[in-house]
Amino acid sequence: MNLLLLGPPGAGKGTQAKRLVAEYGWPQVSTGDMLREARAAGTPLGKQAASYMDAGELVPASVVIGVAKERLMGSDVAGGYVLDGFPRNREQAEALDEFLTERAESLDLVVNIRVDPDVIVKRILGRRACAAPDCGGDFNVYFNPPAAEEICDDCGGGLVRRSDDNEETILNRLDVYRRETEPLIEHYRPSGKVVDIDGAAEPDEVYGAIKAEIEKRRG
Ligand code: AP5
């Protein structure tokens, strides 16, 4: 299945995508992760994206669309994928529509994860990730705290915050979401593929609701 996770920053798209990857094996296609990896590697793409990301602005579509399309042409996504953070505005959505039509493919499910802004700000300010390469440890000082402050339970490495996880940038990311990304829910609604999920519930409950929608469609 080809899934799209829509929702504001901090809605839990990444959290739920990782669970879907673990259960169904469909790769997570996250433009945010790809851009962060490019930044960490110091590539021209990473350098180009850095100032937009730190300001909470969208990286120009001319850059992001190419990155996403290249990823979607990989052999590992042939059996399905979980789109997380792409598309993010009408231009990107139209480019994706065109790309899928050319390949006689489509999205099977668009999951709209809804969460109130006050919950989002707390979640994002509390987010911590393990700095150790390949660990993937993911914590939240409010909702899923590590046993020892700023130390990863999994590998003992240090925990870090994302450079765009500060209050000022979060408010801009939310504003950008409302203006640019939220209208995509109505872009996809006529397809009949959109389901609205309460993202304020516990992660297991959110996952259960998404899984139920997937299973309904898989018959
Ligand atoms: P991106 O990396 O896509 O970030 P985002 O959309 O702002 O989303 P987040 O990663 O902050 O949140 P999430 O919904 O994945 O939540 P998570 O599961 O982590 O983009 C970053 C930047 O890159 C953009 O601002 C832009 O500059 C650029 N970019 C990326 N894609 C682009 C594109 N297509 N076009 C242009 N620019 C692009 O959860 C958050 C926290 O809450 C975690 O700590 C988690 O543990 C916790 N949590 C999750 N679910 C729950 C729950 N149910 N209950 C309690 N806590 C929870």
Side-chain angles (χ1 to χ4, degrees), residues 7-163:
K13 303 181 294 296
T15 302
Q16 297 303 328
K18 286 185 179 64
R19 290 174 180 228
L20 292 166
V21 172
E23 177 153 4
Y24 294 100
W26 303 317
Q28 173 187 9
V29 176
S30 160
T31 40
D33 285 350
M34 287 188 262
L35 294 170
R36 275 184 290 280
E37 278 161 24
R39 281 185 75 170
T43 66
L45 167 67
K47 286 180 185 150
Q48 204 179 345
S51 61
Y52 295 98
M53 297 176 82
D54 286 343
E57 294 291 331
L58 294 185
V59 174
S62 55
V63 175
V64 174
I65 290 171
V67 170
K69 277 189 186 173
E70 198 181 320
R71 180 70 189 89
L72 291 176
M73 287 192 279
S75 55
D76 62 323
V77 300
Y81 46 79
V82 182
L83 280 173
D84 162 10
F86 179 88
R88 232 168 166 108
N89 62 14
R90 185 165 286 276
E91 186 180 358
Q92 294 181 22
E94 285 170 358
L96 177 64
D97 290 346
E98 202 179 307
F99 174 82
L100 292 173
T101 304
E102 275 167 12
R103 297 165 65 92
E105 292 173 10
S106 61
L107 295 174
D108 299 298
L109 182 62
V110 178
V111 178
N112 175 33
I113 307 179
R114 305 164 73 130
V115 186
D116 286 343
D118 51 338
V119 177
I120 281 169
V121 173
K122 191 168 178 186
R123 277 189 190 176
I124 296 182
L125 288 177
R127 172 167 46 195
R128 300 289 185 278
C130 182
D134 303 325
C135 172
D138 184 21
F139 301 87
N140 193 294
V141 298
Y142 303 115
F143 302 105
N144 174 29
E149 214 174 305
E150 305 299 336
I151 303 289
C152 177
D153 288 357
D154 303 338
C155 76
L159 298 181
V160 289
R161 280 171 82 157
R162 256 168 55 176
S163 60

Side-chain angles (χ1 to χ4, degrees), residues 16 19 197-198 200-211:
Q16 297 303 328
R19 290 174 180 228
I197 300 282
D198 174 16
E202 287 297 312
D204 285 352
E205 222 177 294
V206 178
Y207 185 68
I210 296 174
K211 190 176 164 180

